[in-house]
Amino acid sequence: MAEGYELPLLLFAGFRSFIDELHAELAEQGHPDVRPAHGFALQAVGRDGVTAGELGRRLGVSKQAAGKTVERLERLGYVERADDPADGRRKLVRLTPRGADVLMRSAVIFDRLRDRWVERLGAERVSDLEEALRAMVPADGLRLDAASWFGS
């Protein structure tokens, strides 16, 4: 029988292998500076953009920490700040074409990585694994604040 600590370590190792392979491929495809925490932030920005305060709430970090992340992503060309059309006093953080490109490429790479698991384990085992994880993960378990949780 496996020890209780093995399951979370194996789940994390599987996650880590996906993320490491994703970033290796992104680097080859012209995105060498994007980091795992950037992916969470870019997802949190979304298609419509967000204020820095909202970004902080979505990521589970302070407005100041979110601002630093925005500055970093802005320097790398993944986001831009623009006036909020609904409120001229606010600035929105929006994806640039480069930011949208890295998210699109990530989605394609994730599909390819999943396909590799299907080739190795079989479609039924991968589907069973996904179904079992969905059953065990709380309804709000898929949150974008994972990067801040690891950093705490």
Side-chain angles (χ1 to χ4, degrees):
M1 179 164 148
E3 299 288 336
Y5 66 85
E6 275 189 282
L7 179 59
L9 290 177
L10 287 169
L11 289 169
F12 179 72
F15 170 77
R16 177 74 192 256
S17 70
F18 254 73
I19 298 303
D20 287 348
E21 289 185 53
L22 167 76
H23 284 274
E25 287 195 40
L26 286 173
E28 290 174 11
Q29 294 182 24
H31 296 282
D33 297 321
V34 73
R35 299 291 175 256
H38 298 157
F40 289 106
L42 293 170
Q43 288 289 333
V45 168
R47 293 181 181 164
D48 298 326
V50 293
T51 64
E54 177 61 23
L55 181 63
R57 282 188 291 283
R58 290 181 182 184
L59 295 175
V61 299
S62 69
K63 183 177 177 180
Q64 293 78 13
K68 287 182 182 183
T69 299
V70 169
E71 288 173 14
R72 204 168 307 120
L73 291 172
E74 200 170 28
R75 277 195 310 272
L76 294 170
Y78 292 106
V79 300
E80 63 187 1
R81 296 177 210 232
D83 291 332
D84 183 344
D87 183 347
R89 298 169 295 173
R90 297 184 338 161
K91 291 283 187 187
L92 284 181
V93 178
R94 298 187 312 196
L95 295 175
T96 63
R98 182 168 172 77
D101 180 67
V102 77
L103 289 179
M104 180 202 66
R105 289 175 186 274
S106 295
V108 170
I109 294 167
F110 275 131
D111 285 345
R112 192 167 46 248
L113 293 172
R114 184 187 182 281
D115 288 346
R116 191 176 312 150
W117 278 47
V118 167
E119 288 172 16
R120 179 101 188 253
L121 301 174
E124 188 174 336
R125 286 178 73 191
V126 172
S127 181
D128 288 347
L129 174 62
E130 290 168 335
E131 187 177 325
L133 289 170
R134 280 188 203 98
M136 295 305 297
V137 172
D140 67 345
L142 297 174
R143 299 175 5 203
L144 295 172
D145 66 350
S148 69
W149 181 78
F150 280 116
S152 298

